[in-house]
Amino acid sequence: MDKLIIAGRTFRSRLMVGTGKFSSNAAMAAALHASDCEIVTVALRRVDIDNPQDDMLSHIDPKRHLLLPNTSGARDAEEAVRLARLARAAGCEPWIKLEVTPDPYYLLPDPIETLKAAIILVKEGFVVLPYINADPVLAKHLQEAGCATVMPLGAPIGTNRGIRTRDNIAIIIEQAIVPVVVDAGLGAPSHAAEAMEMGADAVLVNTALAVAADPAAMAAAFAKGVQAGREAFLAGLGKQRLHAHASSPLTGFLRNEA
Amino acid sequence: MQLKINGKTLEVKDGCNIEALLQQLGLKADRVAVERNRNIVMRSDFDTTVLQNNDQIEIVNFVGGG
């Protein structure tokens, strides 16, 4: 069977799902179930000590899902490392989606701080999955630093704009020695299918599910998109060409050939 | 004594440990991570870590995220 392997661990699903922005924990749980995903991202924040909220972890089945905490909110390497250590102390396995996004408008990842943090976290025994711009050279540096995947963005987080970084993602995939997970910006199942057709190993989706009128139905649709794209990639897509190429023989027409 | 917890000031009993503090706040120990003066306190040390006046405490938990 076609399995995804990250840091020696085998996964059946190539769709990772984020848990932000859902209207309720019930809607989130329904989407996780419908997506059939195995890797689920979460974030860490200060508890509001005056008003503790319903605990979202009680809605995620630890037998079905590997929790992948992110370092969202970190503006530099030091903050990201601090969050990763806290996530581990909170009881997570030492898997971390490394995000360093100093710019609040586009939430684009800082490549220098991301690499710095990755080097530290790999040394501390973390399985590091860095969120990056679609920069093939940075992807190589992160692989050499021992990261378990690279996670290039299709478009800025939460924009639903699809794969705007297609040519660079193609280079990253071509050169990758670790799984490539296209993360951020995927707004429709066709975007996820496109990433998988290109040869991405997995995709991560959050906003597109959370803001859908029916998150669970959208999660099921994304699962199909990922599956279709993966199967098409494995089947081998035909080459694109500029001119028409007839599907039937160009002989035997109902006319006399000159 | 006074603690600074997540940026807010809170009055607790002298000799309070982290386990007792979490109880006072209504938080489950197995769902949070705690820093005391920028050092992570492991969960197994919650009941033996006695807090001091003016300690800076950070308590974090998991929320939705992508």
Side-chain angles (χ1 to χ4, degrees):
Chain A
M1 265 303 282
D2 176 42
K3 302 281 192 197
L4 170 66
I5 299 174
I6 300 175
R9 190 158 169 164
T10 302
F11 300 94
R12 171 182 42 71
S13 168
R14 291 173 182 274
L15 173 58
M16 305 179 184
V17 174
T19 54
K21 293 186 268 197
F22 284 92
S23 59
S24 67
N25 284 328
M28 175 199 74
L32 292 182
H33 187 266
S35 73
D36 199 29
C37 69
E38 293 169 282
I39 297 179
V40 173
T41 60
V42 291
L44 267 185
R45 289 291 182 273
R46 273 178 163 175
V47 174
D48 179 357
I49 60 169
D50 298 326
N51 182 26
Q53 296 293 309
D54 180 23
D55 179 16
M56 56 105 60
L57 283 196
S58 56
H59 299 267
I60 301 173
D61 178 358
K63 286 192 218 71
R64 255 180 96 121
H65 303 293
L66 170 66
L67 271 194
L68 177 61
N70 67 31
T71 63
S72 70
R75 292 163 301 180
D76 57 27
E78 190 187 343
E79 291 181 1
V81 168
R82 186 182 180 193
L83 282 164
R85 290 172 180 159
L86 279 167
R88 181 156 65 178
C92 280
E93 294 193 51
W95 285 52
I96 196 79
K97 182 187 163 197
L98 175 59
E99 279 184 56
V100 185
T101 54
D103 153 39
Y105 295 102
Y106 292 101
L107 294 172
L108 291 173
D110 182 324
I112 295 165
E113 296 295 316
T114 301
L115 181 58
K116 262 198 238 171
I119 289 167
I120 295 168
L121 291 171
V122 168
K123 272 204 192 106
E124 293 187 8
F126 282 90
V127 175
V128 181
L129 294 80
Y131 170 61
I132 59 171
N133 210 321
D135 177 345
V137 180
L138 174 64
K140 274 195 158 178
H141 281 303
L142 288 162
Q143 292 174 66
E144 283 160 11
C147 288
T149 65
V150 287
M151 305 183 77
L153 61 89
I157 294 169
T159 58
N160 292 328
R161 283 162 58 82
I163 304 179
R164 300 298 174 124
T165 55
R166 185 181 165 95
D167 291 354
N168 278 1
I169 286 183
I171 298 171
I172 291 173
I173 290 169
E174 181 195 335
Q175 299 182 335
I177 53 170
V178 296
V180 177
V181 185
V182 176
D183 176 17
L186 304 181
S190 58
H191 300 156
E194 181 184 356
M196 300 308 294
E197 286 169 7
M198 289 171 67
D201 296 280
V203 299
L204 194 155
V205 180
N206 187 162
T207 300
L209 310 186
V211 304
D214 183 340
M218 188 60 79
F222 264 89
K224 289 175 187 159
V226 168
Q227 188 64 30
R230 179 65 184 173
E231 288 176 14
F233 170 73
L234 293 175
L237 290 156
K239 282 207 172 65
Q240 293 192 15
R241 45 169 78 222
L242 278 177
H243 299 119
H245 192 70
S247 306
S248 305
L250 292 171
T251 55
F253 292 123
L254 293 172
R255 61 175 181 259
N256 294 326
E257 300 297 329
Chain B
M1 62 179 180
Q2 280 195 345
L3 304 174
K4 199 85 166 175
I5 301 174
N6 292 0
K8 291 176 179 168
T9 306
L10 189 78
E11 194 71 35
V12 300
K13 279 187 200 153
D14 285 0
C16 176
N17 63 34
I18 289 181
E19 190 171 271
L21 171 67
L22 294 176
Q23 264 171 20
Q24 180 179 334
L25 294 171
L27 298 170
K28 289 183 199 145
D30 62 348
R31 292 293 168 85
V32 299
V34 178
E35 270 184 2
R36 178 191 184 202
N37 302 325
R38 288 299 292 260
N39 296 309
I40 290 176
V41 181
M42 299 314 293
R43 193 168 288 159
S44 51
D45 298 331
F46 281 2
D47 59 343
T48 55
T49 303
V50 177
L51 299 168
Q52 305 288 325
N53 194 34
N54 292 324
D55 271 353
Q56 309 270 329
I57 306 293
E58 290 287 341
I59 306 172
V60 296
N61 66 356
F62 289 110
V63 299

